[in-house]
Amino acid sequence: MQIEKTAELNLLWGTLILEELARLGVQHVCMAPGSRSTPLTLAAAKQTKLQQHLHFDERGLGFMALGLAKASRAPVAIITTSGTAVANLYPAIIEAWLTHVPLIVLTGDRPPELIDCGANQAIVQPAIFSQYAKQVNLPTPGLAIRPESLLATLDEAISNQTQPVHINCMYREPLYPATMSANFTEYLSTLGSWQHTSQPYVQYGKAQLQSIPSPDALARFVHGKGVIIAGTLSPKESPEALILLSQKLGWPLLTDAQSQLRQHPGVIGNIDQLLHQPKARALLQQAERVLVFGGRLISKRLISYLAEQKWKSYWQVLPTQMRLDPSHSAKQVWQCDLHTFASLAWPRSSQINWALQLTRVNDNLETLFQQQIDNGEFGEAMVIRTIARSQQASQQLFIGNSLPVRLYDMFAPMTPEYGSTYTNRGASGIDGLLATACGIAKHSKTLTTLVIGDISQLHDLNSLAIARTMKTPFVVVILNNDGGNIFNLLPVPDEKLRNDYYRLSHGLEFGYAAAMFAIAYNQVDDIEGFNAAYQDAIEFDGPSVIEVTVAQEQASEQITKIASWVKQS
């Protein structure tokens, strides 16, 4: 092949790749600028089936793609150039792998002869993501490699994939075609009808491996006192079906913050605090059987209860085969979607309504939280309860890691209406939280609130550049307690070590950061100010930052006090 046709063949391959991704269900493509990925970028630019998103920072780009994939429940493509640009995707790839989110990473790369020889911006990219991405290493484009081989490789790698795929694309220069004079009609002729259809070249049937218990197994399982636990669940999994299952069995439904049901009045939402309470804990210890949907629980007390109880039967329901049990308990794992499993012909339990007293104690805790948090001193728990109480069914709430998600898990209010809840709790990092929330909001185009800590927001300042592009209400609530004050709750040996090496007080505010990115900003330090600022923000068609200034010790002291009251109640 003449060298002047290299750029045109590179672009043809990029075009085939992006077209096939669209046919495989990709709706969004996220791109960072770079030269070596030019064949992919030019192909994406002319691809009308994909929504395009640009960002200069690959780390934020990867997390934005993660949010888009979570909200769309479809694979999202990412395009980066070579070198450390690829490495900057690693945190988002890890999170996506652990939480089964399909990201398709397309990385431009140098050809083999330019690796490990001092060539510019060249690193060894194959297998860079280790076990956290399925690996596909494409050859440099050449006419000797048939286009059907390229398409079939993509189809096998991506079809039915629920975790990241890394497709490394090696390109020789030149990368920028001066003209499009090459005639590839003969090269493409072997694709047959593919050029005139909208289906992938190789169509794989949807994998639908499901295992469900027999009627006899159901009858045996429900014989006795049991509990249902709702762990991390997507809004699209129909978690409300667990309410009906709980009512039918007469077993209490204990909910994690990520279950989409934490605020439902028909569940036991305050389980973290109930396990502080001696009478409630003693009642729960009577349970003989447990039915767990999902995993990745936040409450350490609930995790310990699940691990320490001597269960006669332990069932866990997961959508795919995976290990989500750090205690390694003996159990029966059913691979099935939640709605199908909850809708089986369940008989009533022989111990129906055995734990009705839990409902009363759960309600009493809500009354306590109203007295001690809603009508108490201004602080982080008050703000989180205020935001949670205001959510409507059409809205979205993204809760940041570290202290915010724990406060929501411990103290979220019971409400008749609530929105969809999102977190990044695979690796539970504090990086990329703003970018992920932006991705979720960009796909759904509905009011989205992010609650994030100050250290987490400092980690992701660059993603304010993504937030500024929002056209729908997008509210970033920064809880600024001047450092990583979750460490107030942990057994660090002494206060000097805690202050010097853990909390990392910074003395910074976020007003100038918001101004730099031309984002509306408010700073508040009381609940009246917060309510006014939040109301303005949710009515504004664009991004807003609300910085909530709170004392360093406020949240940890309040958590300790409430725990003491709960234990004595």
Side-chain angles (χ1 to χ4, degrees), residues 179-253:
T179 66
M180 286 302 292
S181 59
N183 187 341
F184 294 113
T185 302
E186 182 179 350
Y187 179 67
L188 297 173
S189 64
T190 52
L191 290 179
S193 63
W194 180 87
Q195 297 182 77
H196 310 292
T197 69
S198 59
Q199 299 301 314
Y201 184 74
V202 179
Q203 299 172 45
Y204 287 87
K206 197 151 189 73
Q208 292 184 323
L209 176 62
Q210 283 203 144
S211 57
I212 57 174
S214 66
D216 285 346
L218 290 176
R220 290 192 299 271
F221 181 75
V222 301
H223 184 70
K225 298 178 179 179
V227 295
I228 305 170
I229 297 179
T232 301
L233 301 171
S234 161
K236 304 293 175 61
E237 290 184 83
S238 303
E240 292 79 11
L242 299 185
I243 304 291
L244 297 176
L245 178 60
S246 171
Q247 293 170 350
K248 186 170 186 180
L249 293 182
W251 288 358
L253 175 56

Side-chain angles (χ1 to χ4, degrees), residues 335-478:
Q335 190 172 320
C336 185
D337 68 274
L338 181 153
H339 190 269
T340 297
F341 203 89
S343 302
L344 294 173
W346 291 87
R348 281 190 177 268
S349 169
S350 61
Q351 294 288 337
I352 188 171
N353 297 331
W354 70 272
L356 272 182
Q357 188 180 351
L358 273 182
T359 301
R360 181 180 59 81
V361 183
N362 190 63
D363 293 345
N364 289 344
L365 283 185
E366 172 59 20
T367 301
L368 174 66
F369 298 158
Q370 291 173 8
Q371 295 169 347
Q372 301 301 329
I373 299 177
D374 300 344
N375 297 315
E377 62 180 345
F378 180 70
E380 293 165 76
M382 178 185 287
V383 170
I384 285 175
R385 280 177 58 85
T386 299
I387 293 171
R389 195 180 297 109
S390 73
Q391 297 300 295
Q392 298 177 13
S394 62
Q395 298 174 3
Q396 299 177 136
L397 177 62
F398 190 102
I399 311 172
N401 284 328
S402 198
L403 198 51
V405 73
R406 289 176 170 84
L407 289 171
Y408 180 83
D409 191 52
M410 287 188 283
F411 303 131
M414 292 180 285
T415 54
E417 193 173 355
Y418 47 87
S420 300
T421 304
Y422 292 91
T423 61
N424 276 359
R425 294 294 295 177
S428 299
I430 62 169
D431 46 354
L433 298 176
L434 172 58
T436 308
C438 286
I440 288 168
K442 276 180 173 289
H443 175 78
S444 304
K445 295 181 175 60
T446 188
L447 169 57
T448 302
T449 300
L450 165 66
V451 184
I452 189 171
D454 50 326
I455 298 293
S456 299
Q457 184 54 71
L458 288 172
H459 258 273
D460 207 17
L461 273 182
N462 279 354
S463 294
L464 288 171
I466 306 174
R468 71 178 296 193
T469 66
M470 295 303 210
K471 305 300 182 186
T472 52
F474 181 73
V475 189
V476 181
V477 179
I478 305 172

Side-chain angles (χ1 to χ4, degrees), residues 140-156:
T140 54
L143 291 177
I145 303 170
R146 302 306 309 160
E148 56 266 35
S149 171
L150 173 63
L151 297 179
T153 297
L154 296 172
D155 294 335
E156 191 283 326

Side-chain angles (χ1 to χ4, degrees), residues 36-76:
R36 191 58 56 165
S37 55
T38 289
L40 296 165
T41 301
L42 295 180
K46 65 178 184 177
Q47 173 54 255
T48 59
K49 299 175 185 176
L50 302 175
Q51 296 182 52
Q52 301 156 10
H53 309 273
L54 302 174
H55 187 41
F56 54 81
D57 175 1
E58 287 85 5
R59 186 173 77 165
L61 186 82
F63 278 106
M64 175 172 60
L66 178 75
L68 287 164
K70 283 189 174 191
S72 66
R73 302 280 287 178
V76 171

Side-chain angles (χ1 to χ4, degrees), residues 46-109:
K46 65 178 184 177
Q47 173 54 255
T48 59
K49 299 175 185 176
L50 302 175
Q51 296 182 52
Q52 301 156 10
H53 309 273
L54 302 174
H55 187 41
F56 54 81
D57 175 1
E58 287 85 5
R59 186 173 77 165
L61 186 82
F63 278 106
M64 175 172 60
L66 178 75
L68 287 164
K70 283 189 174 191
S72 66
R73 302 280 287 178
V76 171
I78 304 171
I79 295 174
T80 75
T81 191
S82 59
T84 57
V86 183
N88 276 302
L89 296 175
Y90 212 156
I93 298 303
I94 290 172
E95 180 68 24
W97 182 266
L98 292 173
T99 53
H100 284 250
V101 177
L103 299 182
I104 313 301
V105 183
L106 304 168
T107 56
D109 195 5

